[in-house]
Every structure is written in C-alpha cells, then in structure tokens.
Amino acid sequence: MRLAIAAGDYQLVVAPERGGSILSFTWRGEPVMREAEGLGILDVGCFLMVPFANRIAGGRFDWNGRAMAIPPNFGGEDAYNPIHGYGWLTGWDVLQSGEDWLELGHERHGGEWPWPYRAAVEYVLEADGLTARLSLTNTGEEPMPAGLGFHPYFPRTDATRYIGLHRGEWRGEGNPLPVTLDERDTPFDWWEGRPVSTRVVDTVYSGRQGPLEIIWPERAMAVTITPSANLSRTAVYAPQGSDWFCVEPVSHLTDALNGRDPGAPMPALAPGETLSAEMRLSVRPL
C-alpha cells in the first residue's frame, strides 16, 4: 500500500507496511528526500526510530537494577548491535487520513524488547512544508527506556552543503559507537561551509543550536529542518562516494543506555506516559 497526500507545492508518498516510512517527498516536483528505489527498508526516503535510536552496544545494558540482553534485530545491517528500534521493521496501521495529512500507528506487546508500547506518527503537509510528529506511549506496568528519532536520506552531489550548528562531535575511532567527544565553547559548523563530500562521517552531534539546513546550489533550492527541542542530538551519516547522506534528529546519543552521554541519559517513560517529538521541513528557492 502507498498513501499519497499533497498541499501547495509539496507531495508526500508513505508506505505504512514498510515501517510507516516515507517513499517520496517532493517540492515543485524536485526530490527533497532521496526517492525510494528498492524494496528494502534501507531503500526508503525516511524511516522512523522508536522506541530507541541508533545502536545499543552488544544489546546489553542495566535497567532499574536488571541486566538486559537484547538480540540484534537487523543482522544485514549490524550483526552485533540492536539498531534503530522496532518501528522501522514492522507494518503500521492507517489510523486516519485526509488529502493533506495522515496518521499511522503500531503496537508492540513485549518479546525481545520486553516493554510493551504504542507508537503513532502523523504526517501533515501545509503550504509551507511538512511536519512529522512521532509519539511513543508506555502501555506496560513498569518504566521503560524511551527514545525517538527520524532517519531521512537526502540527495547529495559534490556541491551539496549541510549546515548544522552543534557544540560537540562524537568520534567512534573506526566504529559507529561514540567513544570520545570533541566539544567547542560555542555551537559550530563542523563542515565550515564546505560541501558535505569533503568529510566522511558516521557520528552524532550534541548541543544543537537552531535548525539544520541542506543547500543544493545547482538546484537553486534549500531545505530547513527544524526538530523539536527534545531532538537535541543529530546523527549524520555521510559515506564516501555516495549520492545521498543522512541527517537524523534524535532524542539521545547512540548507546545512551550504557551511559555514554552523562549529560543526557536515556529517559524513563512511566506507565501510561507518552513521549512525543517532531521534525519540520520547509523548502525555499535560492
């Protein structure tokens, strides 16, 4: 199933059965996100990360005095660490829809991730852009770790620039888990105005100030990404030689469950409590 909505110059196509992911997001017919090509979840334009973002090292952590062991959930991408939660790997139900908005949901009742939860996402198109709102509700009887994130892929050429002001850049020393933090006194553009292709990164940035921006000079357009305040970290994946890259607003650092980021530990969601976050994208001509 594919669901299409539109408003003004924007069009959005979503696949509920593929993790509620975005297949296409365009402005005046121009792709803002990477257009989906294959049939796998890693081929989409954007997927959702719930109930945690990025990786948990070895799937092992302590929670409320219990030693937890969560098996890898996507061996083709990472055979050792659980990654990106469970929402991206399951079908979502269509809860409501209209010409310019839709709401999807999915529930998990325990299993490898022992805490039951309910998740929902709302996509709303308006004349000035897209708002994606993601929520997570603890439907169990004990506190659960809780994290949210969006994983969009953006088209990239040799001229594409990304501007995101952050105080810190985490370094993984050859692996995708953060090890050391390079932190500045004030928020900083880690590309210093140069194209995305001038750096190869797979890391997380902390201490975000303001929105994020991607500029395509040869296409005479730019997109501003405005995450909610609780998506204070930004994961960036820019592999060498690729025609896409990822800028991912997330609520916590990779492997936050193991205390890698003392300044922002993984929050606990009480029974019945809901965590919500949103990402807004607005395109402008240059």
Side-chain angles (χ1 to χ4, degrees):
M1 179 191 300
R2 294 185 176 202
L3 296 178
I5 58 175
D9 294 324
Y10 295 94
Q11 297 81 37
L12 184 76
V13 179
V14 173
E17 79 284 358
R18 291 170 70 180
S21 61
I22 294 173
L23 300 184
S24 173
F25 175 46
T26 62
W27 173 78
R28 299 179 182 177
E30 289 287 330
V32 181
M33 294 178 182
R34 178 187 70 176
E35 298 278 280
E37 295 181 353
L39 298 177
I41 189 61
L42 295 179
D43 301 314
V44 302
C46 177
F47 60 78
L48 307 168
M49 294 183 283
V50 56
F52 63 88
N54 296 312
R55 291 167 169 83
I56 302 171
R60 298 182 179 277
F61 59 95
D62 292 328
W63 184 255
N64 284 348
R66 295 164 56 193
M68 308 301 301
I70 309 297
N73 59 342
F74 196 65
E77 177 72 7
D78 193 322
Y80 182 66
N81 307 298
I83 183 171
H84 299 330
Y86 295 92
W88 69 311
L89 300 175
T90 189
W92 291 54
D93 298 318
V94 180
L95 303 180
Q96 304 181 78
S97 65
E99 291 185 356
D100 55 7
W101 67 279
L102 60 92
E103 184 181 7
L104 310 176
H106 102 88
E107 294 190 51
R108 189 174 177 91
H109 303 288
E112 295 174 346
W113 182 262
W115 300 278
Y117 68 82
R118 181 175 63 253
V121 63
E122 186 178 18
Y123 296 113
V124 179
L125 282 181
E126 298 174 292
D128 58 350
L130 165 68
T131 301
R133 300 185 180 98
L134 183 60
S135 66
L136 169 66
T137 300
N138 180 358
T139 58
E141 298 179 353
E142 61 180 78
M144 67 173 280
L148 298 173
F150 297 93
H151 198 300
Y153 296 77
F154 296 99
R156 168 181 144 186
T157 69
D158 289 341
T160 304
R161 288 188 290 137
Y162 159 65
I163 301 173
L165 302 181
H166 298 82
R167 288 186 58 201
E169 179 183 69
W170 286 87
R171 307 246 169 105
E173 300 180 4
N175 69 67
L177 297 172
V179 176
T180 59
L181 175 63
D182 181 358
E183 192 166 35
R184 309 299 171 91
D185 292 334
T186 58
F188 176 69
D189 170 15
W190 294 81
W191 272 258
E192 299 183 277
R194 296 187 296 271
V196 174
S197 58
T198 59
R199 303 186 75 213
V200 176
V201 300
D202 183 3
T203 190
V204 181
Y205 295 85
S206 59
R208 174 177 57 82
Q209 175 180 287
L212 313 168
E213 187 173 50
I214 298 171
I215 301 168
W216 296 279
E218 71 277 34
R219 300 168 66 197
M221 60 182 282
V223 62
T224 299
I225 307 163
T226 306
S228 53
N230 59 346
L231 299 181
S232 61
R233 271 65 177 151
T234 308
V236 179
Y237 178 40
Q240 187 171 12
S242 177
D243 62 358
W244 52 263
F245 72 112
C246 300
V247 176
E248 311 159 31
V250 294
S251 63
H252 59 87
L253 182 68
T254 303
D255 200 32
L257 278 166
N258 283 304
R260 289 181 187 260
D261 190 359
M266 191 84 159
L269 203 61
E273 189 177 5
T274 297
L275 173 68
S276 300
E278 72 173 44
M279 172 182 70
R280 180 166 179 80
L281 292 91
S282 182
V283 182
R284 73 176 193 278
L286 298 178

